[in-house]
Amino acid sequence: RILFIILSKDHQKVVTRHIWQEYLEEADHLRHHKEVKTIYAKRKETIERVFADAKEKHGMRWTTLRGLKKLSMQAMLTFAAMNLKKMANWIWKGPEMA
C-alpha cells in the first residue's frame, strides 16, 4: 500500500493515497467475513498449490537463464505444460467438482 505524506509549500501536511487504496481496503475487509473465510482457506489447496508444484516438479526454484524475456518465456512454457497435464488428466478421468 502506498501512502505519501508531503509537506506542502504552505506548511500543511498533504496525504496522498494510492488510486486503488479504497478497493484494497474493501478486499481486505471482505476477506474476514465468515462466508469468505471458507473460500479463502481453500486458496492454499488450489492456487498456491500450482506455484508449489511449479517450484518442486518443474524446476522453477532457480534458473540458469538471464534476462526478463528469457525468464518470461520459461515461465510461460512451464505453465503451458502444467495446463496441458491438467487437461490430459481431466480428459482421462473427468473434471473434479470443487
Side-chain angles (χ1 to χ4, degrees):
R1 296 182 179 150
I2 301 171
L3 180 67
F4 296 106
I5 299 177
I6 303 168
L7 197 58
S8 66
K9 290 180 183 178
D10 56 352
H11 302 290
Q12 290 183 345
K13 285 186 181 180
V14 178
V15 178
T16 307
R17 292 167 42 108
H18 190 271
I19 190 168
W20 296 329
Q21 186 65 35
E22 132 182 14
Y23 298 111
L24 292 170
E25 289 171 356
E26 181 65 21
D28 192 49
H29 171 71
L30 289 174
R31 186 171 61 95
H32 297 291
H33 278 268
K34 192 187 320 180
E35 302 87 27
V36 178
K37 277 189 177 185
T38 56
I39 298 168
Y40 199 76
K42 286 195 168 283
R43 182 182 165 93
K44 63 182 163 225
E45 300 170 10
T46 54
I47 297 169
E48 292 175 12
R49 184 78 243 158
V50 171
F51 293 106
D53 286 346
K55 283 172 60 178
E56 288 296 318
K57 299 176 182 175
H58 298 280
M60 288 193 73
R61 278 195 182 274
W62 55 82
T63 184
T64 56
L65 302 174
R66 302 193 99 171
L68 182 61
K69 193 171 186 177
K70 290 179 184 177
L71 289 173
S72 296
M73 185 61 69
Q74 180 189 14
M76 283 189 278
L77 287 172
T78 300
F79 286 112
M82 291 174 69
N83 285 338
L84 286 173
K85 285 170 57 176
K86 190 184 292 187
M87 286 172 53
N89 281 330
W90 281 355
I91 291 170
W92 183 260
K93 57 185 172 182
E96 296 177 14
M97 300 305 283

